[in-house]
Amino acid sequence: MVRLDKDGKPITHHIDPFVFAGDHEADALSRAAQNDPTQIDRFAASVVHESYFDPSIRDLVEEQTVRGGTPEIPNWPRDPGRPSNYYRVALCHATLLGRAFAILVSPPRSKVDQAFWDKLHNLPVELQDEIYAMYKVDLIQAYRLGRLIYEVFSNALMSAIEPEPAARYTAGILILTCSHALTKLSDLRGKGKDYVPWNGDYAEPDAIFTFEDVRQAIFETEKLPRDNTDGIECFHRAWEHGDYFEHPTDFHHISQETLDVYDCAREHLNGSREDWTSEQVMDKFLYGLNPEENETKGSGPP
């Protein structure tokens, strides 16, 4: 079955099949998404049903959002030593995950699809059952991606220990790209709180949380310190005061990139009726991360 975009045009793959020859599929997926970030929506629609997508996007997201080993005190230097494209890569991966999930749970995206569903009830019951069975595949994939999204929320928003910087950033981008879509799967839940990096597990592995808990956690990000954007300065301040373990959040490094994303995420949950597209996300954030790509930073959705 040929899948169509919102304009009724056939969706084509953006990955050259030869890219996968002898290469890791996750790496090829990452490069393809970063090649033209504004077109991640179309790209996601072309690959989200492929068997490699779920394990590949999981590898990419977990690599940047799951902290391994004991955090440094106070996890410094945050930015020195990290690749210059650290947040750009996180932006592309998070947008790909969020938009792929939204595509799976959204209503028909073209007039052709809508006309098809309108006429479905006129078909024999047996044929209706076969067609619905085909689309159950989308639902199964949506729950797989939904579980990964909630794992990011747990690490970034439901854990006391300072998370990997990209985890916080990714959580904010996911709110912008698929929060409304997440509410369409009302029985989707997160499991596990207080991730312990040196154990690689949760202190509360059976704790359940809902999207409403995630919403509240996002609104709580307004209380994050806004003067801890310099990781090295945070380290020196913690070293001088010597009470990092008594008041760890006072010395948590919160990048300006993350603060900007959380500001938009709170506003999005407060008033927006639609999730952001990849083009809107990149217009708002990409050029700020890569000034050389454009002279001005975008403003995102009006």
Side-chain angles (χ1 to χ4, degrees):
M1 181 174 62
V2 176
R3 298 184 182 276
L4 307 175
D5 64 15
K6 63 180 181 180
D7 299 319
K9 298 178 181 179
I11 295 171
T12 57
H13 287 265
H14 290 240
I15 293 184
D16 183 336
F18 293 102
V19 170
F20 286 101
D23 197 3
H24 194 282
E25 291 171 342
D27 294 336
L29 191 72
S30 176
R31 287 199 303 274
Q34 294 181 63
N35 183 55
D36 190 356
T38 62
Q39 296 301 309
I40 282 178
D41 275 29
R42 288 179 62 84
F43 173 59
S46 72
V47 297
V48 70
H49 299 91
E50 301 293 343
S51 59
Y52 60 75
F53 184 78
D54 172 49
S56 295
I57 193 64
R58 174 173 285 277
D59 285 349
L60 295 174
V61 171
E62 286 185 344
E63 182 179 5
Q64 281 200 291
T65 62
V66 178
R67 181 183 293 284
T70 305
E72 305 90 37
I73 301 177
N75 304 328
W76 85 286
R78 281 308 203 181
D79 297 321
R82 297 189 184 281
S84 59
N85 65 344
Y86 178 75
Y87 285 105
R88 184 185 192 277
V89 173
L91 174 64
C92 292
H93 293 170
T95 302
L96 179 57
L97 172 59
R99 297 310 295 156
F101 177 85
I103 287 168
L104 290 170
V105 302
S106 294
R109 297 177 299 283
S110 73
K111 294 180 180 179
V112 176
D113 284 342
Q114 186 62 60
F116 171 79
W117 286 111
D118 289 344
K119 296 178 180 179
L120 183 62
H121 67 276
N122 295 324
L123 298 175
V125 174
E126 294 81 4
L127 184 55
Q128 289 185 40
D129 290 342
E130 290 184 15
I131 294 172
Y132 279 124
M134 292 170 55
Y135 279 85
K136 283 183 180 178
V137 175
D138 283 17
L139 192 59
I140 293 171
Q141 182 77 319
Y143 275 98
R144 291 194 187 108
L145 299 185
R147 285 192 289 272
L148 174 57
I149 290 169
Y150 271 86
E151 287 172 20
V152 173
F153 289 153
S154 178
N155 290 340
L157 303 169
M158 306 288 174
S159 299
I161 296 174
E162 185 176 359
E164 182 69 20
R168 282 182 167 138
Y169 188 82
T170 297
I173 296 297
L174 289 172
I175 290 295
L176 293 171
T177 56
C178 68
S179 57
H180 290 294
L182 284 167
T183 63
K184 296 178 182 180
L185 294 186
S186 57
D187 60 338
L188 188 61
R189 299 285 188 271
K191 185 177 181 181
K193 291 184 178 181
D194 283 332
Y195 180 73
V196 182
W198 49 85
N199 290 340
D201 202 354
Y202 296 100
E204 300 180 53
D206 298 322
I208 303 296
F209 61 95
T210 67
F211 184 73
E212 184 56 34
D213 297 319
V214 174
R215 279 177 56 90
Q216 293 304 315
I218 287 292
F219 289 133
E220 286 292 313
T221 62
E222 189 171 13
K223 300 177 182 177
L224 288 173
R226 302 191 73 91
D227 56 353
N228 287 5
T229 56
D230 186 324
I232 295 180
E233 193 277 334
C234 286
F235 167 77
H236 288 301
R237 186 148 43 89
W239 187 268
E240 292 171 4
H241 288 276
D243 57 354
Y244 174 75
F245 287 106
E246 292 183 19
H247 306 284
T249 57
D250 294 345
F251 308 105
H252 279 193
H253 168 243
I254 312 294
S255 69
Q256 187 61 54
E257 293 88 349
T258 298
L259 291 173
D260 291 343
V261 167
Y262 277 167
D263 288 346
C264 290
R266 292 193 303 274
E267 183 178 352
H268 181 67
L269 291 177
N270 264 328
S272 177
R273 295 183 177 181
E274 294 183 355
D275 291 323
W276 288 17
T277 65
S278 59
E279 187 172 0
Q280 290 171 322
V281 171
M282 299 307 157
D283 181 58
K284 178 66 177 178
F285 299 114
L286 179 63
Y287 304 122
L289 299 176
N290 299 272
E292 69 278 4
E293 294 188 27
N294 199 358
E295 293 182 0
T296 60
K297 183 177 180 180
S299 59

